[in-house]
Amino acid sequence: MKIPEKFEILVTNGLVDEVVCQLMSGKEADVYVVRSKGELRCAKVYKDAGSRSFSKQAVYQEGRKVRNSRQARAIVKNTRYGRKEQEDAWQNAEVNALQRLASVGVRVPQVFSCVGGILLMELIVDDSGNTAPRLNDVKLTGPQAREFHSVLISQIVLMLCAGLVHGDLSEYNVLVDSNGPVIIDLPQAIDAAGNNNAAGMLQRDVDNMAAYFGRFAPELLTTDYGREIWKLYSTGELSPHVVLTGHYEQSTIPADVGGVMGDVEAVRRWHERHL
Ligand SMILES: Nc1ncnc2c1ncn2[C@@H]1O[C@H](COP(=O)(O)OP(=O)(O)O)[C@@H](O)[C@H]1O
Ligand SMILES: [Mg+2]
């Protein structure tokens, strides 16, 4: 096909030789198959920030580190420079997440480069070399659904051990190749420790997986891995090899509200004395 204008820098720099076809046109990105250094690769072209709502970005970006205080001020003021910086931050977040996750053994596409608003990555393919289907396009048996669910729960645990929550995990953001599920689409990945929405996002990711695989294996619908995983994470007990039950016991010990309030008051008084 004719090479879209946006690819110019990549062609000039020898990163892309040919644009083979367009795979998808989504709300936030267009995805192409390209030929690059003799191989078929996947190019994700980000759309302008205008197509994303600011409130959505704010939810995901809480706790993310920006490069410097000039960048931070510009983003807050929403100047043109600020919008450009925010756009770069969004794109870099996906590259950073992909690299961080690959390094801890999460199955994600390998990244080759992110230049000029285009992420160049490994093209995930099926047995016959065709672009891999999305989980949503695969018909599963009960045992397959149980196996994939268990694999994805382990991947969610690995991601959280690396400090990240996917934030948009669904049957549309998982591809299936001959070795099983591969996780994609991470520009909104959330910093688990610094973002107050992380627990809720993790719960949603886990619930999406249970709801999807539950169509083929209904017993998964009553599992509660989300709260179990978050509890282990928040008490520092989560590790990549943790054995999960899929159940969560709500503590029956009544909360000691009076005790906590007393502690808060004591710290407040201590602080006042030391001012
Ligand atoms: N590395 C890849 N290999 C093969 N197909 C991909 C790859 N990355 C994305 N795709 C295809 O492109 C679609 C859109 O990509 P995605 O990263 O989910 O962007 P968005 O959903 O924001 O448009 C995916 O559903 C998938 O079909
Ligand atoms: Mg997607």
Side-chain angles (χ1 to χ4, degrees):
M1 66 181 271
K2 182 171 176 296
I3 297 186
E5 217 173 286
K6 283 205 165 171
F7 280 89
E8 208 171 298
I9 307 180
L10 283 87
V11 173
T12 312
N13 286 296
L15 289 169
V16 165
D17 303 319
E18 185 194 345
V19 178
V20 179
C21 64
Q22 181 162 4
L23 265 185
M24 289 279 168
S25 175
K27 244 193 351 234
E28 294 173 354
D30 291 329
V31 178
Y32 296 84
V33 178
V34 298
R35 192 175 298 282
S36 158
K37 309 214 183 268
E39 275 178 35
L40 290 182
R41 291 182 176 168
C42 177
K44 181 169 180 178
V45 182
Y46 295 99
K47 293 193 173 165
D48 293 337
S51 56
R52 289 190 298 276
S53 75
F54 179 76
S55 61
K56 178 175 171 197
Q57 291 199 45
V59 168
Y60 289 111
Q61 291 183 343
E62 184 183 309
R64 269 189 202 165
K65 301 198 178 34
V66 289
R67 266 186 306 176
N68 52 46
S69 57
R70 176 169 178 237
Q71 189 196 24
R73 278 196 307 275
I75 289 176
V76 170
K77 284 195 191 151
N78 200 24
T79 59
R80 198 138 79 101
Y81 167 76
R83 282 193 294 275
K84 163 86 174 57
E85 288 290 300
Q86 185 151 33
E87 192 53 33
D88 289 354
W90 180 258
Q91 296 172 9
N92 288 335
E94 177 150 38
V95 175
N96 294 342
L98 286 168
Q99 288 172 336
R100 188 148 136 202
L101 295 178
S103 75
V104 297
V106 178
R107 295 198 72 219
V108 291
Q110 185 193 344
V111 171
F112 298 112
S113 64
C114 187
V115 176
I118 302 183
L119 167 62
L120 204 59
M121 62 182 148
E122 176 190 1
L123 181 70
I124 306 298
V125 294
D126 67 11
D127 282 346
S128 20
N130 297 316
T131 309
R134 295 182 301 186
L135 184 54
N136 180 59
D137 303 318
V138 182
K139 213 168 156 17
L140 298 173
T141 62
Q144 269 172 334
R146 279 189 285 278
E147 192 203 319
F148 280 8
H149 178 261
S150 145
V151 167
L152 282 161
I153 292 292
S154 302
Q155 298 271 289
I156 289 170
V157 168
L158 268 184
M159 288 196 269
L160 192 52
C161 290
L164 288 178
V165 173
H166 186 291
D168 192 18
L169 193 64
S170 74
E171 59 274 29
Y172 304 103
N173 285 332
V174 175
L175 303 179
V176 181
D177 74 5
S178 53
N179 293 315
V182 179
I183 295 172
I184 60 164
D185 203 0
L186 288 135
Q188 72 294 315
I190 285 163
D191 175 29
N195 190 315
N196 284 313
N197 310 300
M201 296 286 180
L202 179 92
Q203 187 70 44
R204 192 174 66 181
D205 285 354
V206 170
D207 288 349
N208 284 346
M209 292 295 104
Y212 185 71
F213 291 113
R215 296 189 208 167
F216 309 95
E219 73 276 15
L220 295 174
L221 296 172
T222 53
T223 57
D224 192 357
Y225 286 96
R227 282 193 296 169
E228 185 184 16
I229 293 171
W230 190 261
K231 172 145 189 271
L232 292 169
Y233 172 71
S234 52
T235 53
E237 292 167 276
L238 191 68
S239 77
H241 303 293
V242 70
V243 178
L244 300 170
T245 63
H247 297 288
Y248 177 79
E249 290 282 324
Q250 187 87 41
S251 170
T252 50
I253 305 168
D256 178 12
V257 178
V260 173
M261 295 309 281
D263 289 348
V264 171
E265 183 55 22
V267 171
R268 197 189 60 73
R269 269 189 261 120
W270 180 89
H271 184 69
E272 254 172 21
R273 271 204 309 282
H274 286 80
L275 271 182

